[in-house]
Amino acid sequence: MNAFAASARHEALNIRRSRTAHILLWVFVGMVLVSSLIGWITNRTVTGVFDRIRAEGLTSQPNPFTGVSPLTYERNTVIYVLLIGALMAVVLGAQASLRDRKSGTSALVLSRPVGTASRLLGQLAGIGAVLGVVLGGSVGASWVVLGIIDAAPLGPEHTLRLLAFAALSWVLLMAFAVLGMLTGLVSRSETTALLVSFVLWSAIAFVVPQLGTAARPVTLLGPVPHPAATGGWFDAVAAVTGPLAVTEQYKRAAGVLLQDRNAQAGDWTGALVVAAALLILVLVLAVTPRRRLRRPLDE
Amino acid sequence: MTAAIATERLTRVFGPVTAVDGLDLEVAEGEIFGLLGHNGAGKTTTVNMLTTLLPPTGGGASICGRSITADAAGVRRSIGYLPENVRFYDNLTLGENLRFFAELSGIRRPEGRIREVLRLLDFEGPYGQRVGTFSKGMRQRVGIAQAILHEPKVLFLDEPTSGLDPEGVRTLRETIVRLNREFGITVFMNTHLLTEVTKTCTSIGILRAGRLIHSSSLAETLAAFPDEESLEAVYFRLESQPVP
């Protein structure tokens, strides 16, 4: 087994044994299931009320859920990926690069015929495998619940869209994991590394999008970004910060995949920005100097 | 006898401090070499350079004929290393920890080799136990096990007896001597414990302020000072002499 594969396997094993990671993973899966449950309850409640008022002859309008893509019930999952998922990924990333520095095993690892890039990218692959399993499990659960809501299994197109959404979420979470790894490598202490990770996460998830959508800050918590005010200062700021607001771009791409009514079908700019962010971060990680892995923590 | 370790004007400077200053040293194959010196003498920096963890700022060195700078990967394949106070991965079992290091070293069938090494060290019992529950002595045995998994020609040990109880010290000493005699592994160790050096090492070097002030076989060193009753007395006498 080469260093890349050994590091990937080892990282996945360490995450499996880490209590913090377990808590975050279960919270995430739980929230995704809750998201589907909320969708199911909403559908049942609205349809129940609609059926009653139609039976009483109070409306002749069609059921508001008629013609709505079953995937729209997944909208809340977009928010959970951004909030809990991204936080989980950042913590997993920081823990990965802090582990060797904390336990003194970095000297053992680096005294073996192991390339820096192989080691770091292997660790990232291990995190990626865990995130893949978590997202796969979440998508599987969503597929079942959405089938229950619609009283029929999802068709091939919707299933593919759901899988594409999971893939998009995986790319975003991997970018956050790399960010966590990088902060873990450059920080002098474990506390600083986790603190910096949280600050970066909140800046990317909240501050940068705030600059781009400042006219309607509440939209930050909406699954699909509301367009910034047109014209004037806000528009100018949004034009500059928009592409940098990776989380907003993720919401935009997720909206397209989940067939949100507000999203522009065929607009893949968001997905490209998210993929580009991951690519750039992976390149930065791959060229990390060897001495960074070795530096012991101050505490 | 060919040199397992050879350094030539090996130097490492940290800002205004010269930690290792033009070190010229040769350790022959099959030796157990003890590098002695006070705290801050440059022992760990020397080991870090020889294990390719730290690049030298001047001079060079070779391990089994491979340059530590030009062929660092080759050097890493030839050496085993146990740093001071390493803790390993507490959440993983002994077997899982060793499997990781075996895989990193490119061992094809790690399980068989791990069992073999643990048998050799008489340490098979705790295979499935988490390393986080191990005593300091047990951790040092994990350290020795990971260091010899890939059958290195040279073993570097940095303060291997640090923090061990007398029983742990004796077990470790016996292991080092056995690895040297039965498998021909050259051992390079940094240590403060002069009694252990007397019982274990075949040759010694003394570093002071980054400079090698003495290097010879243990027998020759002791013979050169017939009026001194122990290595400790010889050490302090050599230490007090002016740097050449």
Side-chain angles (χ1 to χ4, degrees):
Chain A
M1 194 180 271
N2 60 29
F4 177 87
S7 297
R9 189 180 164 283
H10 181 247
E11 191 55 43
L13 186 61
N14 269 296
I15 295 172
R16 263 176 53 197
R17 296 277 166 80
S18 156
R19 197 176 298 167
T20 315
H22 267 241
I23 292 168
L24 285 168
L25 296 175
W26 284 114
V27 167
F28 178 72
V29 172
M31 291 304 277
V32 169
L33 287 174
V34 166
S35 162
S36 301
L37 184 69
I38 290 169
W40 179 72
I41 291 169
T42 308
N43 183 302
R44 265 182 70 97
T45 309
V46 173
T47 303
V49 171
F50 173 79
D51 286 347
R52 192 185 299 170
I53 61 172
R54 194 171 58 176
E56 290 170 4
L58 295 173
T59 183
S60 57
Q61 294 293 313
N63 184 332
F65 283 109
T66 307
V68 171
S69 168
L71 297 177
T72 51
Y73 302 122
E74 275 292 287
R75 281 183 306 181
N76 287 332
T77 305
V78 176
I79 298 302
Y80 301 143
V81 168
L82 279 179
L83 298 182
I84 302 161
L87 184 62
M88 171 181 75
V90 158
V91 171
L92 292 182
Q95 281 186 338
S97 47
L98 286 170
R99 194 179 301 112
D100 279 341
R101 294 178 63 199
K102 202 172 150 187
S103 62
T105 42
S106 53
L108 295 179
V109 172
L110 296 176
S111 66
R112 309 269 165 165
V114 175
T116 313
S118 301
R119 170 69 182 145
L120 291 173
L121 296 181
Q123 284 185 294
L124 182 63
I127 296 173
V130 173
L131 291 176
V133 168
V134 171
L135 285 167
S138 308
V139 161
S142 296
W143 191 87
V144 171
V145 175
L146 293 177
I148 293 169
I149 293 173
D150 243 25
L154 288 187
E157 193 212 331
H158 286 139
T159 304
L160 274 177
R161 282 181 174 276
L162 200 57
L163 288 172
F165 168 63
L168 175 75
S169 303
W170 183 83
V171 172
L172 179 84
L173 296 189
M174 286 296 276
F176 275 100
V178 179
L179 210 57
M181 285 184 80
L182 290 170
T183 55
L185 286 167
V186 298
S187 301
R188 287 178 176 275
S189 73
E190 186 178 13
T191 318
T192 314
L194 290 172
L195 195 65
V196 170
S197 296
F198 289 141
V199 170
L200 283 174
W201 163 75
S202 56
I204 293 166
F206 301 109
V207 180
V208 176
Q210 182 84 24
L211 294 172
T213 55
R216 296 177 179 86
V218 177
T219 62
L220 288 175
L221 290 172
V224 175
H226 199 288
T230 50
W233 174 244
F234 286 139
D235 198 26
V237 172
V240 176
T241 60
L244 299 172
V246 177
T247 51
E248 291 302 294
Q249 298 291 354
Y250 163 75
K251 288 197 302 195
R252 189 171 160 183
V256 175
L257 287 169
L258 299 178
Q259 297 180 307
D260 193 280
R261 278 185 231 179
N262 297 324
Q264 249 187 326
D267 176 12
W268 299 115
T269 319
L272 288 174
V273 170
V274 175
L278 173 61
L279 189 65
I280 291 165
L281 286 166
V282 167
L283 287 174
V284 173
L285 185 70
V287 298
T288 301
R290 201 172 177 84
R291 66 172 187 279
R292 285 264 174 228
L293 277 71
R294 222 195 119 233
R295 206 173 63 173
L297 293 172
D298 283 351
E299 56 205 28
Chain B
M1 207 179 264
T2 50
I5 302 166
T7 70
E8 194 180 342
R9 308 294 306 150
L10 188 67
T11 303
R12 177 69 208 198
V13 176
F14 295 104
V17 179
T18 303
V20 176
D21 189 2
L23 181 70
D24 287 311
L25 178 70
E26 267 200 19
V27 178
E29 271 180 19
E31 294 268 18
I32 302 180
F33 181 85
L35 187 61
L36 316 177
H38 292 341
N39 286 337
K43 302 189 299 294
T44 297
T45 305
T46 302
V47 167
N48 283 343
M49 285 192 285
L50 294 176
T51 52
T52 75
L53 291 170
L54 190 66
T57 48
S62 64
I63 311 292
C64 303
R66 296 170 193 273
S67 162
I68 58 166
T69 45
D71 187 11
V75 169
R76 288 175 197 139
R77 273 189 282 273
S78 317
I79 63 166
Y81 177 43
L82 175 59
E84 189 182 3
N85 294 326
V86 66
R87 283 176 42 207
F88 298 98
Y89 303 105
D90 284 350
N91 281 334
L92 305 190
T93 65
L94 168 63
E96 288 163 346
N97 266 282
L98 294 180
R99 189 189 166 107
F100 172 57
F101 290 109
E103 286 172 351
L104 277 188
S105 305
I107 295 171
R108 284 188 186 277
R109 294 181 198 283
E111 285 305 319
R113 177 61 187 157
I114 290 166
R115 294 283 182 187
E116 192 183 331
V117 166
L118 292 178
R119 242 190 328 272
L120 175 78
L121 299 176
D122 195 19
F123 195 45
E124 286 175 283
Y127 184 86
Q129 278 180 34
R130 293 199 182 189
V131 169
T133 63
F134 284 11
S135 66
K136 171 82 181 168
M138 288 168 86
R139 281 169 197 268
Q140 285 302 78
R141 287 166 88 180
V142 182
I144 294 285
Q146 65 78 30
I148 62 170
L149 274 173
H150 55 299
E151 300 176 67
K153 292 188 174 73
V154 181
L155 189 57
F156 288 93
L157 308 171
D158 193 358
E159 303 287 359
T161 50
S162 166
L164 292 183
D165 60 22
E167 176 62 27
V169 171
R170 192 177 67 175
T171 307
L172 190 70
R173 182 205 313 142
E174 287 168 358
T175 305
I176 292 168
V177 171
R178 195 170 162 210
L179 290 173
N180 174 258
R181 290 196 185 143
E182 287 183 26
F183 302 96
I185 298 175
T186 306
V187 180
F188 184 106
M189 56 191 270
N190 285 347
T191 183
H192 281 115
L193 288 182
L194 298 175
T195 48
E196 283 311 306
V197 172
T198 314
K199 289 173 183 167
T200 317
C201 296
T202 53
S203 59
I204 62 163
I206 300 175
L207 267 187
R208 191 166 83 192
R211 301 185 74 176
L212 190 70
I213 57 168
H214 175 83
S215 179
S216 181
S217 75
L218 182 65
E220 283 173 9
T221 304
L222 292 172
F225 298 91
D227 50 329
E228 300 293 356
E229 59 186 19
S230 67
L231 179 63
E232 187 181 75
V234 173
Y235 171 77
F236 282 114
R237 196 154 147 192
L238 286 166
E239 257 287 329
S240 62
Q241 288 175 1
V243 176

